[in-house]
Amino acid sequence: MPTELRGGCHCGNLRLQVRLPRSPADALLRSCACSFCRSHGTRTVSDPDGQADLWATEWDLVQRYRFGSHTADYLLCRQCGVYVGAVCDTASGRRAVINTLCLADRAAFDQDPIQPDYDGETVEARLARRGQNWMPLVIHDPGR
């Protein structure tokens, strides 16, 4: 059953719409072993057959944070500090994972997340994996 979810950051500057081809209960959740995800307690979702859309009221209040392999932007609101997801450009196009904790219906994702460890993964393998597993993303930013 296709599902549409909405959410965003605490102050409302960042807004998300996520379309999944299945119910949240059937979605694969991840909580990877990297230090960023561990420190934020993330529970991310992505589906290559879904789509995420992202809007911001003020793009100047969106912090893009990169670390490690510098292949993805981790998006946080500078005003309220909420981490909404990660964005990566791949050979398959722009892809994202979404932090389910910023979705209005976060309780629908009640399954235990898998905890993959991507240490030692090459940049090429990482980008290929994201292109295959992360969901397409549309960033609605008329000024960029």
Side-chain angles (χ1 to χ4, degrees):
M1 165 187 277
T3 304
E4 185 173 297
L5 303 154
R6 295 185 182 272
C9 68
H10 188 258
C11 70
N13 183 57
L14 282 165
R15 296 171 316 285
L16 291 165
Q17 176 179 299
V18 177
R19 288 181 292 285
L20 297 172
R22 56 193 52 83
S23 72
D26 294 325
L28 178 64
L29 288 186
R30 291 179 191 85
S31 184
C32 95
C34 80
S35 59
F36 182 89
C37 289
R38 282 194 323 263
S39 65
H40 285 85
T42 64
R43 296 168 52 86
T44 61
V45 67
S46 64
D47 191 306
D49 296 323
Q51 181 172 313
D53 289 80
L54 176 69
W55 295 265
T57 303
E58 294 183 50
W59 283 100
D60 290 344
L61 294 177
V62 178
Q63 178 66 48
R64 294 174 180 263
Y65 176 64
R66 284 191 169 203
F67 67 99
S69 65
H70 298 274
T71 55
D73 288 324
Y74 292 76
L75 303 178
L76 302 103
C77 179
R78 288 183 180 175
Q79 188 160 289
C80 66
V82 170
Y83 163 62
V84 296
V87 177
C88 182
D89 288 319
T90 73
S92 302
R94 183 167 286 158
R95 297 290 186 257
V97 292
I98 302 301
N99 185 10
T100 62
L101 299 176
C102 74
L103 297 174
D105 196 11
R106 64 185 141 280
F109 296 91
D110 62 355
Q111 64 273 42
D112 290 331
I114 63 168
Q115 298 179 334
D117 187 344
Y118 302 117
D119 279 352
E121 186 176 50
T122 66
V123 168
E124 295 78 17
R126 183 164 296 193
L127 292 172
R129 173 181 50 77
R130 289 174 178 166
Q132 184 176 20
N133 297 329
W134 287 18
M135 67 178 54
L137 172 70
V138 177
I139 295 178
H140 299 271
D141 181 3
R144 294 181 191 229

